[in-house]
Amino acid sequence: MWAQLELLTTPVDHRPALIAVAHGSRDPRSAATMSAVVADIAAARPDLDVRLAFLDLSAPSVDQVVDAVAAQGHTHAVVAPLLLGNAFHARVDLPGLLAAARVRHPRLQLTQADVLGPDARLIAALRDRVLAVDGMDRNVGVAVAAVGSSSAAANARTATVARQLTAITGWRTEICFATTDPSLAQAVSRLHARGAERVLVAPWFLAPGLLTDRLEAAAPDLTHAQVIGPHPTLANIIWNHYDTALTAVLPLSA
């Protein structure tokens, strides 16, 4: 992975760098997947400096990457969270890290972009992952499985993913969480009660890890779609967020 990351660390010019920040995991599959995602992002705009950082448990850290960007002579970097929800990591952890980094590097402007969120293009990517493993006849239900949060409001926002998937496909869907209720078993029961003869699981995760393994272990008899991973739409979304962040902070040319 480090060899792949090294390819992304030489800036071509001093236009704002992009630091894509992933969650991090003890599971090496997660870091490998996010490395592939960021390689796709970098390939879409090879003229810009693109780097991957992790909030926790994986390397390089946000601090290490910000320090490296500053050392390369950048004066501005857009920090794009590779996070599906606007929860604690996006609202508290990352802003705190960036605030400390601004003290260390007062000449480096750091602009935090939006999280990925339930973007319609990501919902379409989730649909693609489901279709890749199942033809989806009329008698199939989809349990959309997400991480889950201690915040009921955050879980309610995540539940919109299942409704949006229904809106673009007509499929029966139910939301469930790996760490809280409703559980996968509850979602399966609800789908059967709604007439689904069989159920498959659509993980609302960017990368595989301990929680996706937990979901598979909880329902080994069900078909589990792949995580979103390096889907082509991710690069488009991240670069849209990069451009939007710059529009908000850079003056318009005359």
Side-chain angles (χ1 to χ4, degrees):
M1 185 185 75
W2 281 102
Q4 293 174 327
L5 291 176
E6 185 65 27
L7 296 175
L8 309 180
T9 58
T10 303
V12 177
D13 57 38
H14 286 335
R15 284 177 292 173
L18 170 65
I19 302 174
V21 179
H23 186 284
S25 171
R26 292 184 178 86
D27 190 319
R29 295 173 299 168
S30 177
T33 300
M34 299 317 297
S35 180
V37 166
V38 174
D40 284 351
I41 293 170
R45 292 193 185 179
D47 55 327
L48 296 181
D49 185 12
V50 178
R51 309 192 185 211
L52 171 62
F54 294 94
L55 285 167
D56 197 13
L57 301 173
S58 302
S61 68
V62 173
D63 283 347
Q64 288 171 328
V65 174
V66 170
D67 291 350
V69 165
Q72 286 283 340
H74 281 289
T75 58
H76 191 183
V78 174
V79 181
L82 295 173
L83 301 172
L84 291 173
N86 191 27
F88 190 85
H89 288 302
R91 292 185 290 102
V92 179
D93 283 349
L94 184 55
L97 290 169
L98 298 185
R102 292 184 185 101
V103 174
R104 295 198 310 276
H105 305 291
R107 296 184 179 179
L108 176 63
Q109 181 178 359
L110 295 168
T111 301
Q112 184 173 334
D114 289 338
V115 297
L116 295 169
D119 187 291
R121 291 167 292 182
L122 273 181
I123 306 299
L126 186 65
R127 174 203 60 199
D128 292 346
R129 295 302 187 225
V130 172
L131 289 174
V133 297
D134 195 281
M136 291 304 297
D137 61 50
R138 293 172 56 189
N139 297 319
V140 179
V142 179
V144 178
V147 174
S149 169
S150 59
S151 166
N155 291 335
R157 288 192 296 270
T158 302
T160 66
V161 173
R163 294 195 292 273
Q164 289 182 65
L165 184 61
T166 295
I168 67 170
T169 63
W171 300 339
R172 298 180 187 89
T173 66
E174 289 284 345
I175 193 68
C176 61
F177 300 105
T179 60
T180 189
D181 289 334
S183 66
L184 176 54
Q186 289 169 322
V188 171
S189 294
R190 291 174 182 177
L191 286 165
H192 284 316
R194 292 173 55 191
E197 295 181 2
R198 58 191 181 92
V199 174
L200 63 82
V201 182
W204 182 242
F205 287 79
L206 291 180
L210 300 178
L211 292 181
T212 55
D213 285 351
R214 181 187 299 180
L215 290 165
E216 291 182 8
D221 55 324
L222 299 183
T223 298
H224 292 250
Q226 294 297 309
V227 296
I228 294 172
H231 190 282
T233 198
L234 269 175
N236 293 330
I237 295 171
I238 290 297
W239 285 119
N240 286 165
H241 288 188
Y242 173 94
D243 293 336
T244 299
L246 289 184
T247 299
V249 298
L250 297 180
L252 295 175
S253 58

